[in-house]
Amino acid sequence: MTDKSLAEMFPELVAFLPCETPDQWIEEAAKPENLDIILIDHANNELKAASAAQSLILRYKDGVKVTGQKRIPCNVDLLNKMSRLAREELRHFEQVLAIMTRRNIEYTTVKASRYASRMLKHARTWEPAKLVDTLIIGAYIEARSCERFHKLAPHLDAELGRFYLSLLKSEGRHFSDYLTLAQEISDEPIEDRIALFAEVEKEAMESPDEEFRFHSGVPVKTSEAA
Ligand SMILES: [Fe+2]
Ligand SMILES: [Fe+2]
């Protein structure tokens, strides 16, 4: 367990996030009857994170096509960082799966939350802007996961609490990898893009959300009312 605040551990990550997870979400996530959905959605998110990183490698391994003949050469840093990230996310997937198996939680189908798709809707469609926006969105997803693991850990049983805290270090690094790459690849300052996605992210966190998921907003239906 850690007594350290998230700001002490990851000051840049905390400064990057536009808000804290609302207490109503934590209250809902801490209910034992919601453990299945949290773990299943978490397992899905780890898989999706690994798959998104591999898609970036495949899409950009031979550089970024800017216009007709113009091309930004291959960014080896992107390929290495995404490869390591994909391996780590798959390892996390195996860890969640092991916990689910020990607890007899069946891996059922759970629809994705609105979170990532809300941000992806605002991504620009031309290169290299598309890649830069995708990386900034990746930084938000990683930063929010890290913040939620840290905030939720003390409300869970000892095994899960320890597991969630053990994920902080890699998720914190994934956040800074995505953000560094976005800054490296963009040929212009990215502050206005960060500000735009911050607004969308904050709205997704603080507005009412019908679905309860790992990255959902303020729960509309609490489990007693359901
Ligand atoms: Fe992960
Ligand atoms: Fe991650």
Side-chain angles (χ1 to χ4, degrees):
M1 287 286 164
T2 179
D3 295 328
K4 279 193 176 174
S5 73
L6 195 66
E8 285 172 290
M9 297 167 81
F10 305 105
E12 283 164 23
L13 183 150
V14 170
F16 181 74
L17 284 176
C19 61
E20 255 188 60
T21 286
D23 290 340
Q24 298 100 305
W25 184 90
I26 296 289
E27 275 164 37
E28 196 59 21
K31 291 177 182 170
E33 61 269 34
N34 282 327
L35 190 62
D36 294 23
I37 188 93
I38 283 284
L39 287 172
I40 295 169
D41 193 46
H42 181 179
N44 288 342
N45 292 341
E46 298 291 3
L47 269 185
K48 279 185 270 179
S51 156
Q54 290 180 85
S55 301
L56 287 178
I57 297 174
L58 283 168
R59 207 185 309 152
Y60 298 106
K61 63 186 185 322
D62 46 1
V64 186
K65 255 182 254 161
V66 180
T67 52
Q69 313 97 336
K70 229 177 121 195
R71 170 182 289 277
I72 300 173
C74 158
N75 183 313
V76 180
D77 200 23
L78 173 82
L79 305 188
N80 276 320
K81 284 192 162 106
M82 289 302 109
S83 178
R84 179 176 177 189
L85 188 144
R87 279 190 283 124
E88 289 175 348
E89 305 296 22
L90 282 177
R91 177 71 194 122
H92 297 164
F93 169 73
E94 290 164 24
Q95 289 174 300
V96 183
L97 197 58
I99 290 173
M100 284 167 58
T101 307
R102 276 204 296 282
R103 295 176 183 225
N104 290 318
I105 294 173
E106 197 193 339
Y107 202 153
T108 53
T109 307
V110 165
K111 211 175 103 203
S113 70
R114 64 187 188 181
Y115 181 70
S117 59
R118 276 200 172 197
M119 288 192 282
L120 285 165
K121 265 199 295 205
H122 295 270
R124 293 167 292 179
T125 52
W126 60 95
E127 296 293 9
K130 182 180 170 185
L131 173 57
V132 171
D133 285 356
T134 307
L135 293 167
I136 294 172
I137 294 167
Y140 273 108
I141 297 171
E142 296 290 344
R144 182 58 69 191
S145 304
C146 191
E147 190 257 354
R148 288 208 158 169
F149 289 141
H150 182 271
K151 199 166 178 179
L152 185 56
H155 301 274
L156 300 171
D157 61 68
E159 183 199 36
L160 268 181
R162 265 196 312 274
F163 173 54
Y164 275 11
L165 292 179
S166 77
L167 296 176
L168 298 183
K169 207 172 143 202
S170 52
E171 306 305 4
R173 178 165 31 75
H174 297 167
F175 148 74
S176 57
D177 282 352
Y178 272 121
L179 192 59
T180 307
L181 286 167
Q183 278 155 344
E184 246 175 58
I185 288 164
S186 181
D187 41 18
E188 51 193 28
I190 59 170
E191 280 65 33
D192 60 331
R193 299 307 294 169
I194 292 176
L196 180 137
F197 288 111
E199 221 176 282
V200 179
E201 212 268 348
K202 184 173 159 62
E203 216 268 326
M205 286 293 104
E206 294 186 340
S207 62
D209 198 338
E210 293 283 332
E211 313 271 16
F212 178 70
R213 297 288 183 272
F214 191 81
H215 287 110
S216 55
V218 174
V220 172
K221 294 178 271 185
T222 61
S223 61
E224 289 95 342

